[in-house]
PDB file of all heavy atoms in Angstrom:
ATOM      1  N   GLU A 223      67.552  63.701 135.464  1.00 97.00           N
ATOM      2  CA  GLU A 223      66.771  62.641 135.038  1.00 97.00           C
ATOM      3  C   GLU A 223      65.958  62.153 136.412  1.00 97.00           C
ATOM      4  O   GLU A 223      64.846  61.895 136.354  1.00 97.00           O
ATOM      5  CB  GLU A 223      67.473  61.478 134.539  1.00 97.00           C
ATOM      6  CG  GLU A 223      67.785  61.702 133.029  1.00 97.00           C
ATOM      7  CD  GLU A 223      68.729  60.528 132.562  1.00 97.00           C
ATOM      8  OE1 GLU A 223      68.220  59.507 132.048  1.00 97.00           O
ATOM      9  OE2 GLU A 223      70.021  60.597 132.807  1.00 97.00           O
ATOM     10  N   LEU A 224      66.773  62.085 137.435  1.00 98.00           N
ATOM     11  CA  LEU A 224      66.184  61.537 138.798  1.00 98.00           C
ATOM     12  C   LEU A 224      64.969  62.429 139.278  1.00 98.00           C
ATOM     13  O   LEU A 224      63.943  62.041 139.673  1.00 98.00           O
ATOM     14  CB  LEU A 224      67.284  61.436 139.929  1.00 98.00           C
ATOM     15  CG  LEU A 224      66.836  60.951 141.254  1.00 98.00           C
ATOM     16  CD1 LEU A 224      66.229  59.567 141.090  1.00 98.00           C
ATOM     17  CD2 LEU A 224      67.971  60.996 142.165  1.00 98.00           C
ATOM     18  N   LEU A 225      65.351  63.756 139.030  1.00 98.00           N
ATOM     19  CA  LEU A 225      64.309  64.736 139.570  1.00 98.00           C
ATOM     20  C   LEU A 225      63.002  64.582 138.790  1.00 98.00           C
ATOM     21  O   LEU A 225      61.929  64.626 139.365  1.00 98.00           O
ATOM     22  CB  LEU A 225      64.802  66.229 139.441  1.00 98.00           C
ATOM     23  CG  LEU A 225      65.978  66.578 140.293  1.00 98.00           C
ATOM     24  CD1 LEU A 225      66.357  67.960 139.974  1.00 98.00           C
ATOM     25  CD2 LEU A 225      65.511  66.426 141.818  1.00 98.00           C
ATOM     26  N   GLY A 226      63.155  64.379 137.475  1.00 98.00           N
ATOM     27  CA  GLY A 226      61.973  64.077 136.645  1.00 98.00           C
ATOM     28  C   GLY A 226      61.276  62.817 137.059  1.00 98.00           C
ATOM     29  O   GLY A 226      59.931  62.842 137.184  1.00 98.00           O
ATOM     30  N   TYR A 227      61.904  61.879 137.300  1.00 98.00           N
ATOM     31  CA  TYR A 227      61.369  60.539 137.673  1.00 98.00           C
ATOM     32  C   TYR A 227      60.773  60.578 139.098  1.00 98.00           C
ATOM     33  O   TYR A 227      59.550  60.106 139.351  1.00 98.00           O
ATOM     34  CB  TYR A 227      62.381  59.378 137.703  1.00 98.00           C
ATOM     35  CG  TYR A 227      62.751  58.923 136.251  1.00 98.00           C
ATOM     36  CD1 TYR A 227      64.259  58.591 136.070  1.00 98.00           C
ATOM     37  CD2 TYR A 227      61.974  58.977 135.292  1.00 98.00           C
ATOM     38  CE1 TYR A 227      64.607  58.225 134.788  1.00 98.00           C
ATOM     39  CE2 TYR A 227      62.262  58.548 134.036  1.00 98.00           C
ATOM     40  CZ  TYR A 227      63.638  58.167 133.816  1.00 98.00           C
ATOM     41  OH  TYR A 227      64.068  57.796 132.613  1.00 98.00           O
ATOM     42  N   LEU A 228      61.266  61.367 140.028  1.00 98.00           N
ATOM     43  CA  LEU A 228      60.676  61.614 141.380  1.00 98.00           C
ATOM     44  C   LEU A 228      59.457  62.383 141.098  1.00 98.00           C
ATOM     45  O   LEU A 228      58.378  62.128 141.802  1.00 98.00           O
ATOM     46  CB  LEU A 228      61.691  62.201 142.269  1.00 98.00           C
ATOM     47  CG  LEU A 228      62.842  61.413 142.674  1.00 98.00           C
ATOM     48  CD1 LEU A 228      63.978  62.165 143.372  1.00 98.00           C
ATOM     49  CD2 LEU A 228      62.444  60.072 143.490  1.00 98.00           C
ATOM     50  N   ASP A 229      59.457  63.522 140.417  1.00 98.00           N
ATOM     51  CA  ASP A 229      58.337  64.305 140.201  1.00 98.00           C
ATOM     52  C   ASP A 229      57.160  63.490 139.665  1.00 98.00           C
ATOM     53  O   ASP A 229      55.995  63.585 140.064  1.00 98.00           O
ATOM     54  CB  ASP A 229      58.574  65.384 139.344  1.00 98.00           C
ATOM     55  CG  ASP A 229      59.387  66.631 139.900  1.00 98.00           C
ATOM     56  OD1 ASP A 229      59.450  66.597 141.177  1.00 98.00           O
ATOM     57  OD2 ASP A 229      59.941  67.349 139.150  1.00 98.00           O
ATOM     58  N   PHE A 230      57.456  62.649 138.652  1.00 98.00           N
ATOM     59  CA  PHE A 230      56.414  61.734 138.043  1.00 98.00           C
ATOM     60  C   PHE A 230      55.784  60.838 139.077  1.00 98.00           C
ATOM     61  O   PHE A 230      54.562  60.652 139.160  1.00 98.00           O
ATOM     62  CB  PHE A 230      56.870  61.026 136.839  1.00 98.00           C
ATOM     63  CG  PHE A 230      55.771  60.153 136.163  1.00 98.00           C
ATOM     64  CD1 PHE A 230      54.907  60.688 135.320  1.00 98.00           C
ATOM     65  CD2 PHE A 230      55.697  58.782 136.430  1.00 98.00           C
ATOM     66  CE1 PHE A 230      53.835  59.981 134.863  1.00 98.00           C
ATOM     67  CE2 PHE A 230      54.679  57.968 135.959  1.00 98.00           C
ATOM     68  CZ  PHE A 230      53.694  58.700 135.119  1.00 98.00           C
ATOM     69  N   ALA A 231      56.656  60.163 139.863  1.00 98.00           N
ATOM     70  CA  ALA A 231      56.149  59.255 140.904  1.00 98.00           C
ATOM     71  C   ALA A 231      55.249  59.967 141.937  1.00 98.00           C
ATOM     72  O   ALA A 231      54.212  59.469 142.240  1.00 98.00           O
ATOM     73  CB  ALA A 231      57.453  58.724 141.648  1.00 98.00           C
ATOM     74  N   ARG A 232      55.534  61.211 142.296  1.00 98.00           N
ATOM     75  CA  ARG A 232      54.809  61.992 143.322  1.00 98.00           C
ATOM     76  C   ARG A 232      53.433  62.313 142.709  1.00 98.00           C
ATOM     77  O   ARG A 232      52.392  62.326 143.257  1.00 98.00           O
ATOM     78  CB  ARG A 232      55.508  63.033 143.775  1.00 98.00           C
ATOM     79  CG  ARG A 232      56.655  62.519 144.654  1.00 98.00           C
ATOM     80  CD  ARG A 232      57.415  63.644 145.402  1.00 98.00           C
ATOM     81  NE  ARG A 232      56.450  64.034 146.410  1.00 98.00           N
ATOM     82  CZ  ARG A 232      56.958  64.020 147.673  1.00 98.00           C
ATOM     83  NH1 ARG A 232      58.221  63.784 148.016  1.00 98.00           N
ATOM     84  NH2 ARG A 232      56.174  64.608 148.705  1.00 98.00           N
ATOM     85  N   LEU A 233      53.435  62.650 141.318  1.00 97.00           N
ATOM     86  CA  LEU A 233      52.313  63.097 140.621  1.00 97.00           C
ATOM     87  C   LEU A 233      51.345  61.841 140.543  1.00 97.00           C
ATOM     88  O   LEU A 233      50.103  61.997 140.616  1.00 97.00           O
ATOM     89  CB  LEU A 233      52.712  63.507 139.339  1.00 97.00           C
ATOM     90  CG  LEU A 233      51.588  64.209 138.358  1.00 97.00           C
ATOM     91  CD1 LEU A 233      51.029  65.404 138.868  1.00 97.00           C
ATOM     92  CD2 LEU A 233      52.102  64.424 136.918  1.00 97.00           C
ATOM     93  N   GLU A 234      51.843  60.718 140.472  1.00 97.00           N
ATOM     94  CA  GLU A 234      51.082  59.462 140.399  1.00 97.00           C
ATOM     95  C   GLU A 234      50.689  58.908 141.783  1.00 97.00           C
ATOM     96  O   GLU A 234      50.055  57.958 141.801  1.00 97.00           O
ATOM     97  CB  GLU A 234      51.831  58.418 139.590  1.00 97.00           C
ATOM     98  CG  GLU A 234      52.081  58.707 138.113  1.00 97.00           C
ATOM     99  CD  GLU A 234      50.752  58.761 137.397  1.00 97.00           C
ATOM    100  OE1 GLU A 234      50.001  57.837 137.342  1.00 97.00           O
ATOM    101  OE2 GLU A 234      50.413  59.778 136.722  1.00 97.00           O
ATOM    102  N   GLY A 235      51.013  59.618 142.720  1.00 98.00           N
ATOM    103  CA  GLY A 235      50.480  59.229 144.133  1.00 98.00           C
ATOM    104  C   GLY A 235      51.504  58.393 144.897  1.00 98.00           C
ATOM    105  O   GLY A 235      51.191  57.792 145.886  1.00 98.00           O
ATOM    106  N   TYR A 236      52.795  58.105 144.375  1.00 98.00           N
ATOM    107  CA  TYR A 236      53.693  57.308 145.006  1.00 98.00           C
ATOM    108  C   TYR A 236      54.557  58.118 146.100  1.00 98.00           C
ATOM    109  O   TYR A 236      54.800  59.283 145.810  1.00 98.00           O
ATOM    110  CB  TYR A 236      54.706  56.703 144.058  1.00 98.00           C
ATOM    111  CG  TYR A 236      54.098  55.701 143.225  1.00 98.00           C
ATOM    112  CD1 TYR A 236      53.542  55.886 141.989  1.00 98.00           C
ATOM    113  CD2 TYR A 236      54.202  54.334 143.754  1.00 98.00           C
ATOM    114  CE1 TYR A 236      53.193  54.747 141.169  1.00 98.00           C
ATOM    115  CE2 TYR A 236      53.669  53.148 142.937  1.00 98.00           C
ATOM    116  CZ  TYR A 236      53.179  53.468 141.699  1.00 98.00           C
ATOM    117  OH  TYR A 236      52.670  52.463 140.917  1.00 98.00           O
ATOM    118  N   LYS A 237      54.908  57.418 147.196  1.00 98.00           N
ATOM    119  CA  LYS A 237      55.960  58.083 148.117  1.00 98.00           C
ATOM    120  C   LYS A 237      57.208  57.766 147.343  1.00 98.00           C
ATOM    121  O   LYS A 237      57.330  56.963 146.448  1.00 98.00           O
ATOM    122  CB  LYS A 237      55.813  57.361 149.491  1.00 98.00           C
ATOM    123  CG  LYS A 237      54.496  57.672 150.149  1.00 98.00           C
ATOM    124  CD  LYS A 237      54.429  56.760 151.528  1.00 98.00           C
ATOM    125  CE  LYS A 237      52.892  56.899 151.939  1.00 98.00           C
ATOM    126  NZ  LYS A 237      52.752  55.967 153.125  1.00 98.00           N
ATOM    127  N   THR A 238      58.284  58.401 147.934  1.00 98.00           N
ATOM    128  CA  THR A 238      59.629  58.324 147.277  1.00 98.00           C
ATOM    129  C   THR A 238      60.741  58.134 148.253  1.00 98.00           C
ATOM    130  O   THR A 238      60.696  58.635 149.396  1.00 98.00           O
ATOM    131  CB  THR A 238      59.888  59.539 146.307  1.00 98.00           C
ATOM    132  OG1 THR A 238      59.745  60.700 147.174  1.00 98.00           O
ATOM    133  CG2 THR A 238      58.947  59.534 145.177  1.00 98.00           C
ATOM    134  N   CYS A 239      61.708  57.363 147.806  1.00 98.00           N
ATOM    135  CA  CYS A 239      62.924  57.126 148.642  1.00 98.00           C
ATOM    136  C   CYS A 239      64.181  56.953 147.814  1.00 98.00           C
ATOM    137  O   CYS A 239      64.099  56.470 146.690  1.00 98.00           O
ATOM    138  CB  CYS A 239      62.676  55.828 149.442  1.00 98.00           C
ATOM    139  SG  CYS A 239      64.098  55.449 150.621  1.00 98.00           S
ATOM    140  N   LEU A 240      65.204  57.458 148.307  1.00 98.00           N
ATOM    141  CA  LEU A 240      66.457  57.147 147.646  1.00 98.00           C
ATOM    142  C   LEU A 240      67.386  56.638 148.666  1.00 98.00           C
ATOM    143  O   LEU A 240      67.645  56.972 149.749  1.00 98.00           O
ATOM    144  CB  LEU A 240      67.098  58.534 147.236  1.00 98.00           C
ATOM    145  CG  LEU A 240      68.564  58.614 146.734  1.00 98.00           C
ATOM    146  CD1 LEU A 240      68.691  57.942 145.423  1.00 98.00           C
ATOM    147  CD2 LEU A 240      69.088  59.977 146.702  1.00 98.00           C
ATOM    148  N   TYR A 241      68.209  55.499 148.257  1.00 96.00           N
ATOM    149  CA  TYR A 241      69.233  54.955 148.976  1.00 96.00           C
ATOM    150  C   TYR A 241      70.565  55.510 148.292  1.00 96.00           C
ATOM    151  O   TYR A 241      70.853  55.258 147.092  1.00 96.00           O
ATOM    152  CB  TYR A 241      69.254  53.346 148.828  1.00 96.00           C
ATOM    153  CG  TYR A 241      68.516  52.719 149.939  1.00 96.00           C
ATOM    154  CD1 TYR A 241      67.250  53.088 150.369  1.00 96.00           C
ATOM    155  CD2 TYR A 241      69.104  51.654 150.617  1.00 96.00           C
ATOM    156  CE1 TYR A 241      66.655  52.407 151.435  1.00 96.00           C
ATOM    157  CE2 TYR A 241      68.485  50.962 151.567  1.00 96.00           C
ATOM    158  CZ  TYR A 241      67.203  51.308 152.010  1.00 96.00           C
ATOM    159  OH  TYR A 241      66.617  50.702 152.962  1.00 96.00           O
ATOM    160  N   SER A 242      71.333  56.241 149.097  1.00 95.00           N
ATOM    161  CA  SER A 242      72.607  56.861 148.644  1.00 95.00           C
ATOM    162  C   SER A 242      73.746  56.414 149.539  1.00 95.00           C
ATOM    163  O   SER A 242      73.481  56.282 150.672  1.00 95.00           O
ATOM    164  CB  SER A 242      72.485  58.296 148.600  1.00 95.00           C
ATOM    165  OG  SER A 242      73.737  58.990 148.306  1.00 95.00           O
ATOM    166  N   GLY A 243      74.909  56.128 148.881  1.00 92.00           N
ATOM    167  CA  GLY A 243      76.127  55.990 149.740  1.00 92.00           C
ATOM    168  C   GLY A 243      76.798  57.218 150.151  1.00 92.00           C
ATOM    169  O   GLY A 243      77.682  57.184 150.957  1.00 92.00           O
ATOM    170  N   GLU A 244      76.310  58.258 149.680  1.00 94.00           N
ATOM    171  CA  GLU A 244      76.899  59.640 150.034  1.00 94.00           C
ATOM    172  C   GLU A 244      76.351  59.999 151.329  1.00 94.00           C
ATOM    173  O   GLU A 244      75.349  59.573 151.953  1.00 94.00           O
ATOM    174  CB  GLU A 244      76.459  60.703 148.979  1.00 94.00           C
ATOM    175  CG  GLU A 244      76.939  60.308 147.587  1.00 94.00           C
ATOM    176  CD  GLU A 244      78.529  60.482 147.327  1.00 94.00           C
ATOM    177  OE1 GLU A 244      79.144  60.961 148.233  1.00 94.00           O
ATOM    178  OE2 GLU A 244      78.897  60.090 146.326  1.00 94.00           O
TER     179      GLU A 244
END
Side-chain angles (χ1 to χ4, degrees):
E223 286 176 89
L224 181 61
L225 294 176
Y227 289 145
L228 293 171
D229 285 342
F230 181 79
R232 295 189 72 132
L233 185 66
E234 291 297 307
Y236 285 94
K237 297 173 188 173
T238 55
C239 182
L240 171 69
Y241 267 49
S242 174
E244 300 291 348

